[in-house]
Amino acid sequence: FAAQLLERTGAYSVLCPACGSGECSAFLARRGFRVTAFDVSAHTCRRVTRTAGLLGVQVESFSDDIITPRRQLRQFDAIFSHNTLHQMRPSQRHALLRSFHRALRIGGILVVSVLSMEDERYGYGREIEEDTFDSGSGDSIHFYSAPELHTELSEFFEVTQIEEMEE
């Protein structure tokens, strides 16, 4: 879905923060996007490079703080943030969205995937703030409603579409 949306908007350069294993980054590179991926873990960034290489594509990757990167990010046509926002506390999400805003060129597109209140994991664990739960591992997960996501994103971006989908 994300690749199709990015293709329709004419995006070419894509930033993938908190890139994890690099599967999404490599997939986008395979579709012809120039992808830059970063994560807090240097080990993860090496996996991104390895995953991309196995698929015969190139992904620029580096290790940095995803909320307040030390590296000056150039401006990108698009940012694809997959399963990141809902893993942060409100102040962190705000800082991350501000950082995204700075890294996105005027007219660029932000695509995010988050967990919604419809997810089967909603309500599992101890509620530590409204719609945010700690399952006991110390990691909190926030579950969004569409209006809440719209409000949060609207502070920095013009929101044109919020769509619920199955992964």
Side-chain angles (χ1 to χ4, degrees), residues 27-87:
F27 174 78
L28 291 173
R30 198 167 186 190
R31 295 284 294 258
F33 297 100
R34 186 181 76 213
V35 178
T36 301
F38 74 102
D39 197 279
V40 68
S41 163
H43 172 74
T44 296
C45 291
R46 286 189 297 275
R47 278 189 10 209
V48 170
T49 302
R50 191 169 43 251
T51 299
L54 290 172
L55 293 174
V57 295
Q58 187 172 10
V59 172
E60 176 189 352
S61 66
F62 61 92
S63 176
D64 206 339
D65 186 283
I66 63 166
I67 298 170
T68 54
R70 293 175 304 281
R71 178 185 281 203
Q72 178 67 36
L73 298 173
R74 67 178 182 276
Q75 293 210 302
F76 294 85
D77 299 331
I79 298 173
F80 178 51
S81 174
H82 180 62
N83 289 338
T84 304
L85 280 177
H86 60 259
Q87 297 183 54

Short mmCIF file of all heavy atoms in Angstrom, two decimals, residues 27-87:
data_model
loop_
_atom_site.label_atom_id
_atom_site.label_comp_id
_atom_site.label_asym_id
_atom_site.label_seq_id
_atom_site.Cartn_x
_atom_site.Cartn_y
_atom_site.Cartn_z
N PHE A 27 12.26 -3.18 0.31
CA PHE A 27 11.11 -3.31 -0.59
C PHE A 27 10.91 -2.03 -1.39
O PHE A 27 10.71 -2.07 -2.61
CB PHE A 27 9.85 -3.65 0.21
CG PHE A 27 8.60 -3.67 -0.63
CD1 PHE A 27 8.31 -4.76 -1.44
CD2 PHE A 27 7.73 -2.59 -0.61
CE1 PHE A 27 7.17 -4.76 -2.22
CE2 PHE A 27 6.58 -2.59 -1.39
CZ PHE A 27 6.30 -3.69 -2.20
N LEU A 28 10.97 -0.88 -0.70
CA LEU A 28 10.79 0.39 -1.39
C LEU A 28 11.92 0.64 -2.39
O LEU A 28 11.69 1.11 -3.50
CB LEU A 28 10.69 1.54 -0.39
CG LEU A 28 9.43 1.56 0.46
CD1 LEU A 28 9.52 2.64 1.55
CD2 LEU A 28 8.19 1.78 -0.40
N ALA A 29 13.15 0.29 -2.01
CA ALA A 29 14.29 0.45 -2.93
C ALA A 29 14.10 -0.44 -4.16
O ALA A 29 14.40 -0.03 -5.29
CB ALA A 29 15.60 0.12 -2.21
N ARG A 30 13.59 -1.61 -3.94
CA ARG A 30 13.34 -2.54 -5.06
C ARG A 30 12.28 -1.98 -6.02
O ARG A 30 12.29 -2.30 -7.20
CB ARG A 30 12.91 -3.89 -4.50
CG ARG A 30 13.05 -5.00 -5.48
CD ARG A 30 12.91 -6.31 -4.78
NE ARG A 30 13.19 -7.36 -5.74
CZ ARG A 30 12.98 -8.62 -5.52
NH1 ARG A 30 12.51 -9.00 -4.36
NH2 ARG A 30 13.25 -9.50 -6.43
N ARG A 31 11.38 -1.17 -5.49
CA ARG A 31 10.35 -0.53 -6.32
C ARG A 31 10.87 0.72 -7.01
O ARG A 31 10.12 1.40 -7.71
CB ARG A 31 9.12 -0.17 -5.47
CG ARG A 31 8.38 -1.35 -4.87
CD ARG A 31 7.50 -2.10 -5.86
NE ARG A 31 6.39 -1.36 -6.36
CZ ARG A 31 5.14 -1.49 -5.94
NH1 ARG A 31 4.85 -2.34 -5.00
NH2 ARG A 31 4.19 -0.76 -6.49
N GLY A 32 12.15 1.06 -6.81
CA GLY A 32 12.75 2.16 -7.53
C GLY A 32 12.93 3.45 -6.75
O GLY A 32 13.39 4.46 -7.31
N PHE A 33 12.62 3.44 -5.48
CA PHE A 33 12.80 4.63 -4.65
C PHE A 33 14.25 4.72 -4.18
O PHE A 33 14.91 3.70 -3.97
CB PHE A 33 11.87 4.62 -3.44
CG PHE A 33 10.42 4.64 -3.81
CD1 PHE A 33 9.68 3.48 -3.80
CD2 PHE A 33 9.81 5.83 -4.17
CE1 PHE A 33 8.33 3.48 -4.15
CE2 PHE A 33 8.46 5.85 -4.51
CZ PHE A 33 7.73 4.67 -4.51
N ARG A 34 14.75 5.94 -3.99
CA ARG A 34 16.06 6.16 -3.36
C ARG A 34 15.79 6.24 -1.85
O ARG A 34 15.20 7.21 -1.37
CB ARG A 34 16.71 7.44 -3.85
CG ARG A 34 18.14 7.59 -3.31
CD ARG A 34 18.81 8.86 -3.77
NE ARG A 34 18.23 9.96 -2.99
CZ ARG A 34 18.05 11.19 -3.45
NH1 ARG A 34 18.35 11.50 -4.67
NH2 ARG A 34 17.53 12.12 -2.67
N VAL A 35 16.19 5.22 -1.13
CA VAL A 35 15.80 5.08 0.27
C VAL A 35 16.98 5.35 1.21
O VAL A 35 18.08 4.85 1.00
CB VAL A 35 15.26 3.65 0.55
CG1 VAL A 35 14.89 3.48 2.01
CG2 VAL A 35 14.06 3.36 -0.35
N THR A 36 16.70 6.16 2.22
CA THR A 36 17.63 6.38 3.32
C THR A 36 16.93 5.87 4.57
O THR A 36 15.80 6.26 4.86
CB THR A 36 17.95 7.88 3.48
OG1 THR A 36 18.53 8.36 2.27
CG2 THR A 36 18.90 8.12 4.63
N ALA A 37 17.59 4.98 5.29
CA ALA A 37 17.00 4.37 6.49
C ALA A 37 17.92 4.60 7.67
O ALA A 37 19.14 4.59 7.53
CB ALA A 37 16.82 2.88 6.26
N PHE A 38 17.30 4.82 8.82
CA PHE A 38 18.13 4.92 10.02
C PHE A 38 17.41 4.38 11.23
O PHE A 38 16.20 4.27 11.26
CB PHE A 38 18.66 6.34 10.23
CG PHE A 38 17.68 7.37 10.71
CD1 PHE A 38 17.67 7.76 12.04
CD2 PHE A 38 16.80 7.97 9.84
CE1 PHE A 38 16.79 8.73 12.49
CE2 PHE A 38 15.92 8.94 10.27
CZ PHE A 38 15.91 9.33 11.60
N ASP A 39 18.22 4.01 12.20
CA ASP A 39 17.72 3.40 13.42
C ASP A 39 18.71 3.72 14.53
O ASP A 39 19.87 4.03 14.26
CB ASP A 39 17.60 1.88 13.24
CG ASP A 39 16.72 1.24 14.29
OD1 ASP A 39 17.21 0.99 15.42
OD2 ASP A 39 15.54 0.98 13.99
N VAL A 40 18.28 3.62 15.74
CA VAL A 40 19.15 3.90 16.88
C VAL A 40 20.25 2.83 16.99
O VAL A 40 21.33 3.10 17.50
CB VAL A 40 18.33 4.04 18.18
CG1 VAL A 40 17.73 2.72 18.61
CG2 VAL A 40 19.16 4.66 19.28
N SER A 41 19.99 1.66 16.49
CA SER A 41 20.93 0.54 16.62
C SER A 41 21.83 0.41 15.39
O SER A 41 21.35 0.23 14.27
CB SER A 41 20.14 -0.76 16.81
OG SER A 41 20.95 -1.88 16.57
N ALA A 42 23.13 0.47 15.60
CA ALA A 42 24.08 0.27 14.50
C ALA A 42 23.97 -1.15 13.95
O ALA A 42 24.08 -1.37 12.74
CB ALA A 42 25.51 0.54 14.99
N HIS A 43 23.71 -2.12 14.82
CA HIS A 43 23.52 -3.51 14.39
C HIS A 43 22.35 -3.61 13.42
O HIS A 43 22.43 -4.28 12.39
CB HIS A 43 23.30 -4.42 15.60
CG HIS A 43 22.92 -5.82 15.25
ND1 HIS A 43 23.82 -6.72 14.74
CD2 HIS A 43 21.71 -6.44 15.30
CE1 HIS A 43 23.19 -7.86 14.50
NE2 HIS A 43 21.92 -7.72 14.84
N THR A 44 21.26 -2.94 13.75
CA THR A 44 20.09 -2.93 12.89
C THR A 44 20.41 -2.33 11.54
O THR A 44 20.00 -2.84 10.50
CB THR A 44 18.93 -2.16 13.57
OG1 THR A 44 18.55 -2.87 14.75
CG2 THR A 44 17.74 -2.02 12.67
N CYS A 45 21.18 -1.26 11.52
CA CYS A 45 21.54 -0.62 10.25
C CYS A 45 22.39 -1.54 9.38
O CYS A 45 22.22 -1.56 8.15
CB CYS A 45 22.26 0.70 10.52
SG CYS A 45 21.16 1.93 11.22
N ARG A 46 23.24 -2.33 10.00
CA ARG A 46 24.03 -3.30 9.22
C ARG A 46 23.09 -4.36 8.61
O ARG A 46 23.30 -4.80 7.49
CB ARG A 46 25.11 -3.95 10.09
CG ARG A 46 26.28 -3.01 10.38
CD ARG A 46 27.45 -3.70 11.06
NE ARG A 46 27.14 -4.25 12.37
CZ ARG A 46 27.18 -3.56 13.51
NH1 ARG A 46 27.52 -2.28 13.50
NH2 ARG A 46 26.89 -4.14 14.66
N ARG A 47 22.06 -4.75 9.37
CA ARG A 47 21.07 -5.71 8.84
C ARG A 47 20.33 -5.11 7.66
O ARG A 47 20.02 -5.82 6.70
CB ARG A 47 20.07 -6.11 9.92
CG ARG A 47 20.57 -7.17 10.82
CD ARG A 47 19.56 -7.74 11.77
NE ARG A 47 18.18 -7.37 11.58
CZ ARG A 47 17.29 -7.30 12.56
NH1 ARG A 47 17.65 -7.55 13.80
NH2 ARG A 47 16.05 -6.98 12.32
N VAL A 48 20.02 -3.82 7.71
CA VAL A 48 19.34 -3.14 6.60
C VAL A 48 20.19 -3.25 5.34
O VAL A 48 19.70 -3.61 4.26
CB VAL A 48 19.07 -1.66 6.94
CG1 VAL A 48 18.60 -0.90 5.72
CG2 VAL A 48 18.05 -1.55 8.06
N THR A 49 21.47 -2.93 5.46
CA THR A 49 22.39 -2.99 4.33
C THR A 49 22.47 -4.42 3.78
O THR A 49 22.43 -4.63 2.57
CB THR A 49 23.78 -2.49 4.75
OG1 THR A 49 23.65 -1.16 5.25
CG2 THR A 49 24.75 -2.52 3.60
N ARG A 50 22.53 -5.38 4.68
CA ARG A 50 22.61 -6.79 4.27
C ARG A 50 21.31 -7.23 3.57
O ARG A 50 21.35 -7.86 2.52
CB ARG A 50 22.89 -7.67 5.50
CG ARG A 50 23.26 -9.10 5.17
CD ARG A 50 23.79 -9.90 6.36
NE ARG A 50 23.07 -9.72 7.61
CZ ARG A 50 23.54 -9.05 8.68
NH1 ARG A 50 24.74 -8.50 8.64
NH2 ARG A 50 22.85 -8.96 9.78
N THR A 51 20.16 -6.86 4.14
CA THR A 51 18.87 -7.22 3.54
C THR A 51 18.74 -6.62 2.14
O THR A 51 18.34 -7.30 1.20
CB THR A 51 17.70 -6.72 4.43
OG1 THR A 51 17.79 -7.36 5.71
CG2 THR A 51 16.36 -7.04 3.81
N ALA A 52 19.11 -5.36 2.01
CA ALA A 52 19.04 -4.69 0.70
C ALA A 52 19.97 -5.39 -0.29
O ALA A 52 19.59 -5.64 -1.45
CB ALA A 52 19.40 -3.22 0.84
N GLY A 53 21.18 -5.72 0.14
CA GLY A 53 22.13 -6.39 -0.73
C GLY A 53 21.62 -7.74 -1.22
O GLY A 53 21.81 -8.09 -2.39
N LEU A 54 20.97 -8.49 -0.34
CA LEU A 54 20.41 -9.79 -0.74
C LEU A 54 19.34 -9.63 -1.81
O LEU A 54 19.12 -10.53 -2.63
CB LEU A 54 19.83 -10.52 0.47
CG LEU A 54 20.85 -11.02 1.49
CD1 LEU A 54 20.14 -11.55 2.74
CD2 LEU A 54 21.73 -12.10 0.88
N LEU A 55 18.67 -8.48 -1.81
CA LEU A 55 17.63 -8.21 -2.81
C LEU A 55 18.18 -7.48 -4.03
O LEU A 55 17.43 -7.15 -4.96
CB LEU A 55 16.49 -7.39 -2.19
CG LEU A 55 15.68 -8.12 -1.12
CD1 LEU A 55 14.69 -7.17 -0.46
CD2 LEU A 55 14.94 -9.31 -1.73
N GLY A 56 19.49 -7.22 -4.01
CA GLY A 56 20.11 -6.58 -5.16
C GLY A 56 19.83 -5.10 -5.29
O GLY A 56 19.86 -4.55 -6.40
N VAL A 57 19.55 -4.45 -4.16
CA VAL A 57 19.29 -3.01 -4.18
C VAL A 57 20.19 -2.32 -3.15
O VAL A 57 20.82 -2.96 -2.33
CB VAL A 57 17.80 -2.68 -3.88
CG1 VAL A 57 16.90 -3.21 -4.98
CG2 VAL A 57 17.37 -3.21 -2.52
N GLN A 58 20.21 -1.00 -3.22
CA GLN A 58 21.03 -0.24 -2.29
C GLN A 58 20.13 0.64 -1.42
O GLN A 58 19.21 1.30 -1.92
CB GLN A 58 22.01 0.64 -3.06
CG GLN A 58 22.99 1.34 -2.16
CD GLN A 58 24.07 2.05 -2.98
OE1 GLN A 58 23.98 2.16 -4.19
NE2 GLN A 58 25.09 2.52 -2.29
N VAL A 59 20.39 0.63 -0.13
CA VAL A 59 19.71 1.49 0.83
C VAL A 59 20.79 2.18 1.65
O VAL A 59 21.65 1.51 2.23
CB VAL A 59 18.78 0.69 1.76
CG1 VAL A 59 18.23 1.57 2.89
CG2 VAL A 59 17.63 0.06 0.99
N GLU A 60 20.79 3.50 1.66
CA GLU A 60 21.71 4.23 2.53
C GLU A 60 21.19 4.07 3.96
O GLU A 60 20.01 4.33 4.22
CB GLU A 60 21.74 5.71 2.15
CG GLU A 60 22.60 6.55 3.07
CD GLU A 60 22.47 8.04 2.83
OE1 GLU A 60 21.83 8.46 1.86
OE2 GLU A 60 23.03 8.79 3.66
N SER A 61 22.04 3.63 4.87
CA SER A 61 21.59 3.47 6.25
C SER A 61 22.63 4.01 7.21
O SER A 61 23.83 3.99 6.92
CB SER A 61 21.28 2.01 6.56
OG SER A 61 22.44 1.23 6.53
N PHE A 62 22.16 4.51 8.33
CA PHE A 62 23.05 5.02 9.37
C PHE A 62 22.36 4.92 10.70
O PHE A 62 21.13 4.83 10.78
CB PHE A 62 23.49 6.46 9.06
CG PHE A 62 22.38 7.45 8.98
CD1 PHE A 62 21.96 8.17 10.10
CD2 PHE A 62 21.73 7.68 7.76
CE1 PHE A 62 20.93 9.08 10.01
CE2 PHE A 62 20.70 8.60 7.67
CZ PHE A 62 20.30 9.31 8.79
N SER A 63 23.15 4.95 11.74
CA SER A 63 22.64 4.88 13.11
C SER A 63 22.54 6.29 13.69
O SER A 63 23.48 7.07 13.58
CB SER A 63 23.58 4.02 13.95
OG SER A 63 23.16 4.01 15.29
N ASP A 64 21.38 6.58 14.28
CA ASP A 64 21.18 7.89 14.91
C ASP A 64 19.93 7.82 15.77
O ASP A 64 19.13 6.89 15.65
CB ASP A 64 21.02 8.98 13.84
CG ASP A 64 21.43 10.36 14.34
OD1 ASP A 64 21.47 10.59 15.56
OD2 ASP A 64 21.71 11.22 13.48
N ASP A 65 19.77 8.79 16.62
CA ASP A 65 18.57 8.90 17.44
C ASP A 65 17.40 9.24 16.52
O ASP A 65 17.49 10.16 15.72
CB ASP A 65 18.77 10.00 18.49
CG ASP A 65 17.61 10.05 19.47
OD1 ASP A 65 16.55 10.59 19.08
OD2 ASP A 65 17.76 9.57 20.58
N ILE A 66 16.30 8.49 16.63
CA ILE A 66 15.20 8.74 15.70
C ILE A 66 14.36 9.95 16.09
O ILE A 66 13.71 10.54 15.24
CB ILE A 66 14.29 7.50 15.52
CG1 ILE A 66 13.61 7.12 16.83
CG2 ILE A 66 15.06 6.36 14.91
CD1 ILE A 66 12.50 6.15 16.66
N ILE A 67 14.37 10.32 17.35
CA ILE A 67 13.54 11.46 17.78
C ILE A 67 14.25 12.77 17.51
O ILE A 67 13.66 13.71 16.98
CB ILE A 67 13.16 11.32 19.27
CG1 ILE A 67 12.32 10.04 19.46
CG2 ILE A 67 12.39 12.55 19.75
CD1 ILE A 67 12.09 9.67 20.89
N THR A 68 15.52 12.84 17.87
CA THR A 68 16.31 14.05 17.62
C THR A 68 17.63 13.66 16.98
O THR A 68 18.65 13.57 17.66
CB THR A 68 16.55 14.84 18.93
OG1 THR A 68 17.13 13.94 19.88
CG2 THR A 68 15.29 15.44 19.49
N PRO A 69 17.61 13.40 15.68
CA PRO A 69 18.84 12.98 15.01
C PRO A 69 19.94 14.03 15.14
O PRO A 69 19.68 15.23 15.04
CB PRO A 69 18.42 12.82 13.55
CG PRO A 69 16.94 12.84 13.52
CD PRO A 69 16.49 13.52 14.77
N ARG A 70 21.15 13.57 15.37
CA ARG A 70 22.30 14.47 15.42
C ARG A 70 22.70 14.88 14.01
O ARG A 70 23.17 15.97 13.78
CB ARG A 70 23.47 13.80 16.13
CG ARG A 70 23.22 13.55 17.61
CD ARG A 70 24.35 12.77 18.27
NE ARG A 70 24.65 11.49 17.65
CZ ARG A 70 23.95 10.37 17.84
NH1 ARG A 70 22.90 10.37 18.62
NH2 ARG A 70 24.29 9.23 17.25
N ARG A 71 22.52 13.95 13.08
CA ARG A 71 22.87 14.20 11.69
C ARG A 71 21.83 15.13 11.07
O ARG A 71 20.64 14.98 11.29
CB ARG A 71 22.89 12.88 10.93
CG ARG A 71 23.20 13.04 9.45
CD ARG A 71 23.07 11.74 8.72
NE ARG A 71 24.26 10.92 8.95
CZ ARG A 71 24.65 9.97 8.13
NH1 ARG A 71 23.95 9.68 7.05
NH2 ARG A 71 25.73 9.28 8.38
N GLN A 72 22.31 16.08 10.29
CA GLN A 72 21.41 16.97 9.57
C GLN A 72 20.81 16.18 8.41
O GLN A 72 21.52 15.73 7.52
CB GLN A 72 22.18 18.19 9.03
CG GLN A 72 21.32 19.15 8.23
CD GLN A 72 20.27 19.85 9.08
OE1 GLN A 72 20.49 20.17 10.23
NE2 GLN A 72 19.11 20.06 8.51
N LEU A 73 19.50 15.98 8.45
CA LEU A 73 18.83 15.23 7.39
C LEU A 73 18.51 16.16 6.23
O LEU A 73 18.04 17.27 6.44
CB LEU A 73 17.53 14.60 7.91
CG LEU A 73 17.68 13.59 9.04
CD1 LEU A 73 16.31 13.20 9.57
CD2 LEU A 73 18.45 12.37 8.57
N ARG A 74 18.78 15.69 5.03
CA ARG A 74 18.36 16.48 3.88
C ARG A 74 16.85 16.37 3.75
O ARG A 74 16.21 15.63 4.48
CB ARG A 74 19.07 15.99 2.61
CG ARG A 74 18.66 14.60 2.18
CD ARG A 74 19.37 14.21 0.88
NE ARG A 74 18.95 12.92 0.42
CZ ARG A 74 19.43 11.76 0.83
NH1 ARG A 74 20.38 11.76 1.75
NH2 ARG A 74 18.99 10.63 0.35
N GLN A 75 16.27 17.09 2.83
CA GLN A 75 14.82 17.03 2.67
C GLN A 75 14.45 15.90 1.71
O GLN A 75 15.12 15.68 0.70
CB GLN A 75 14.29 18.35 2.19
CG GLN A 75 14.47 19.42 3.27
CD GLN A 75 13.40 20.46 3.21
OE1 GLN A 75 13.24 21.10 2.19
NE2 GLN A 75 12.68 20.62 4.29
N PHE A 76 13.41 15.20 2.06
CA PHE A 76 12.96 14.03 1.32
C PHE A 76 11.59 14.29 0.69
O PHE A 76 10.80 15.07 1.21
CB PHE A 76 12.87 12.81 2.25
CG PHE A 76 14.21 12.37 2.76
CD1 PHE A 76 14.77 12.97 3.88
CD2 PHE A 76 14.92 11.38 2.10
CE1 PHE A 76 16.01 12.58 4.34
CE2 PHE A 76 16.18 10.98 2.56
CZ PHE A 76 16.72 11.58 3.68
N ASP A 77 11.33 13.54 -0.40
CA ASP A 77 10.01 13.61 -1.03
C ASP A 77 8.96 12.94 -0.15
O ASP A 77 7.79 13.29 -0.19
CB ASP A 77 10.02 12.88 -2.39
CG ASP A 77 10.97 13.48 -3.39
OD1 ASP A 77 11.24 14.69 -3.32
OD2 ASP A 77 11.47 12.72 -4.25
N ALA A 78 9.40 11.94 0.61
CA ALA A 78 8.45 11.17 1.43
C ALA A 78 9.17 10.62 2.66
O ALA A 78 10.37 10.41 2.67
CB ALA A 78 7.88 10.01 0.61
N ILE A 79 8.36 10.38 3.68
CA ILE A 79 8.81 9.68 4.88
C ILE A 79 7.84 8.54 5.10
O ILE A 79 6.62 8.74 5.09
CB ILE A 79 8.86 10.61 6.11
CG1 ILE A 79 9.86 11.74 5.89
CG2 ILE A 79 9.21 9.81 7.37
CD1 ILE A 79 9.86 12.80 6.98
N PHE A 80 8.39 7.36 5.30
CA PHE A 80 7.56 6.19 5.61
C PHE A 80 7.93 5.71 7.00
O PHE A 80 9.01 5.17 7.23
CB PHE A 80 7.76 5.07 4.58
CG PHE A 80 6.96 3.84 4.89
CD1 PHE A 80 5.60 3.91 5.15
CD2 PHE A 80 7.57 2.60 4.95
CE1 PHE A 80 4.86 2.77 5.45
CE2 PHE A 80 6.85 1.45 5.24
CZ PHE A 80 5.49 1.54 5.49
N SER A 81 7.03 5.95 7.94
CA SER A 81 7.24 5.58 9.33
C SER A 81 6.34 4.40 9.66
O SER A 81 5.14 4.55 9.86
CB SER A 81 6.93 6.78 10.23
OG SER A 81 7.00 6.40 11.58
N HIS A 82 6.94 3.23 9.72
CA HIS A 82 6.19 1.99 9.91
C HIS A 82 6.31 1.53 11.36
O HIS A 82 7.40 1.25 11.85
CB HIS A 82 6.72 0.92 8.96
CG HIS A 82 6.03 -0.39 9.06
ND1 HIS A 82 4.69 -0.53 8.77
CD2 HIS A 82 6.48 -1.61 9.41
CE1 HIS A 82 4.35 -1.79 8.94
NE2 HIS A 82 5.42 -2.47 9.33
N ASN A 83 5.17 1.50 12.05
CA ASN A 83 5.09 0.98 13.43
C ASN A 83 6.06 1.66 14.39
O ASN A 83 6.75 1.00 15.16
CB ASN A 83 5.33 -0.53 13.44
CG ASN A 83 4.17 -1.29 12.84
OD1 ASN A 83 3.05 -0.79 12.79
ND2 ASN A 83 4.42 -2.49 12.38
N THR A 84 6.10 2.98 14.35
CA THR A 84 7.01 3.73 15.22
C THR A 84 6.25 4.60 16.21
O THR A 84 6.50 4.54 17.42
CB THR A 84 7.97 4.60 14.39
OG1 THR A 84 8.67 3.76 13.48
CG2 THR A 84 8.97 5.32 15.27
N LEU A 85 5.34 5.44 15.72
CA LEU A 85 4.68 6.42 16.59
C LEU A 85 4.02 5.80 17.81
O LEU A 85 4.10 6.36 18.90
CB LEU A 85 3.64 7.21 15.80
CG LEU A 85 4.11 8.34 14.93
CD1 LEU A 85 2.94 8.97 14.18
CD2 LEU A 85 4.84 9.39 15.74
N HIS A 86 3.37 4.68 17.63
CA HIS A 86 2.61 4.11 18.76
C HIS A 86 3.51 3.52 19.84
O HIS A 86 3.03 3.16 20.90
CB HIS A 86 1.60 3.06 18.26
CG HIS A 86 2.21 1.92 17.54
ND1 HIS A 86 2.20 1.83 16.17
CD2 HIS A 86 2.86 0.82 17.98
CE1 HIS A 86 2.80 0.72 15.80
NE2 HIS A 86 3.22 0.09 16.89
N GLN A 87 4.81 3.47 19.59
CA GLN A 87 5.74 2.95 20.60
C GLN A 87 6.35 4.06 21.45
O GLN A 87 7.26 3.81 22.24
CB GLN A 87 6.85 2.16 19.91
CG GLN A 87 6.33 0.94 19.18
CD GLN A 87 7.44 0.14 18.58
OE1 GLN A 87 8.38 -0.26 19.28
NE2 GLN A 87 7.35 -0.13 17.30
#
